[in-house]
Amino acid sequence: MPPRKKARLTDKTASSDKTDNGKTASVAGKEEKAATSVGKNKEGSKSAGSAEYSHWLMKSEPESRFENGIDVKFGIEDLKGLPDQTSCWDGVRNYQARNFMRQMKEGQLAFFYHSNCKEPGIAGIIKIVKEAYVDHTQFDKKDVHFDATSKADNPKWSMVDVQYQRMMKRFLPLSELKKYHLQHCTSGGPLKDMALFTRARLSVQPLSSEEFDFILSLEDKEPL
DNA sequence: GCCAACGTTGGC
DNA sequence: GCCAACGTTGGC
């Protein structure tokens, strides 16, 4: 569901980010707890703070769909076609998804997932090129994702910038990932806890390195 | 277009 | 703080 984009990048207003994160953290305290406990189990839950993930999956809709007369279509081909093949990932309006975006670090990789379409699945790989900053669309009355409850002095929503890296060598359909997931639920394989299946509707989700690597390995296999 | 899953809201 | 009603996501 997330973004509908217009290649709008890095503005100077982004300098207020850190303070924003600090302030809103207390506002959204409950949700943060939920999200961190969710993201706890896998890699590096060593430090008392948040679990450290370094790989992600981000959903977007590659087919036209109109929300208040605005087309929310944004597939990987759209990202690829933008200047510098880079875009902000605006429009996320779910606290868990937002909190995961706030954990993202520059240089980390994410799968670009096509949702709500003929063939849902993983289409390619993107890279986080700018860490979380204020999502300006929450203040824009014309925007599909305008949020009247968010105040300029304490913004609720964040976004990151992502850059196209490459297409998958072959498209990895949801149906195939699901087969592995089910298989792994009995066999104990790497996809048994994959958020795509255990956390319905979450549009930005973490992957363990094992999950990420396993999915990458599917590129060179025959479709299941 | 249906509807299951699940997050959010608001009354109490 | 509980929980029913409601809204959204997203596969099918």
Side-chain angles (χ1 to χ4, degrees):
Chain A
M1 159 267 143
R4 145 236 52 310
K5 234 129 264 320
K6 316 174 170 69
R8 120 125 77 257
L9 293 182
T10 317
D11 39 8
K12 357 1 248 194
T13 60
S15 50
S16 59
D17 292 353
K18 264 122 213 163
T19 48
D20 157 62
N21 285 349
K23 274 192 280 192
T24 46
S26 58
V27 168
K30 281 172 280 232
E31 297 83 354
E32 309 227 323
K33 238 178 268 153
T36 42
S37 66
V38 158
K40 213 68 190 206
N41 21 348
K42 316 194 150 77
E43 328 173 51
S45 42
K46 20 176 164 237
S47 70
S50 51
E52 299 270 303
Y53 286 101
S54 51
H55 299 88
W56 311 94
L57 180 148
M58 303 173 83
K59 298 180 183 175
S60 188
E61 304 184 33
E63 293 172 8
S64 282
R65 188 173 63 82
F66 289 86
E67 224 173 290
N68 318 334
I70 297 165
D71 193 354
V72 297
K73 165 185 179 336
F74 188 73
I76 195 165
E77 298 292 347
D78 298 301
L79 175 61
K80 202 174 170 180
L82 292 177
D84 210 20
Q85 302 187 317
T86 301
S87 173
C88 58
W89 201 270
D90 61 316
V92 171
R93 295 295 180 267
N94 168 282
Y95 289 111
Q96 288 189 32
R98 179 203 68 179
N99 293 343
F100 283 131
M101 283 202 299
R102 289 180 176 181
Q103 294 178 32
M104 293 176 174
K105 296 285 183 275
E106 195 177 323
Q108 292 181 340
L109 299 177
F111 289 125
F112 194 119
Y113 179 90
H114 281 171
S115 68
N116 206 14
C117 56
K118 283 296 142 48
E119 223 196 350
I122 293 173
I125 297 177
I126 56 183
K127 183 169 74 177
I128 311 307
V129 293
K130 182 179 169 66
E131 295 176 13
Y133 60 111
V134 177
D135 179 346
H136 55 90
T137 66
Q138 67 198 296
F139 305 121
D140 180 358
K141 289 201 176 67
K142 316 276 179 318
D143 195 279
V144 192
H145 302 290
F146 171 67
D147 182 356
T149 71
S150 184
K151 306 288 259 54
D153 62 355
N154 192 8
K156 284 188 180 175
W157 305 112
S158 303
M159 62 186 182
V160 296
D161 286 352
V162 301
Q163 183 176 43
Y164 172 83
Q165 297 299 111
R166 65 174 179 87
M167 299 300 288
M168 302 310 286
K169 295 179 202 164
R170 66 178 179 91
F171 183 83
L172 300 177
L174 173 64
S175 57
E176 180 175 346
L177 296 170
K178 187 179 286 177
K179 286 177 198 164
Y180 281 109
H181 168 65
L182 291 172
Q183 219 171 265
H184 291 183
C185 279
T186 38
S187 72
L191 293 197
K192 79 173 145 51
D193 295 322
M194 191 184 179
L196 190 59
F197 305 105
T198 59
R199 320 245 69 216
R201 310 199 294 137
L202 188 57
S203 68
V204 176
Q205 34 182 272
L207 277 76
S208 68
S209 302
E210 290 74 19
E211 289 168 339
F212 190 84
D213 291 343
F214 178 80
I215 291 167
L216 275 187
S217 78
L218 296 181
E219 288 187 300
D220 299 314
K221 292 185 192 160
E222 290 301 310
L224 224 192

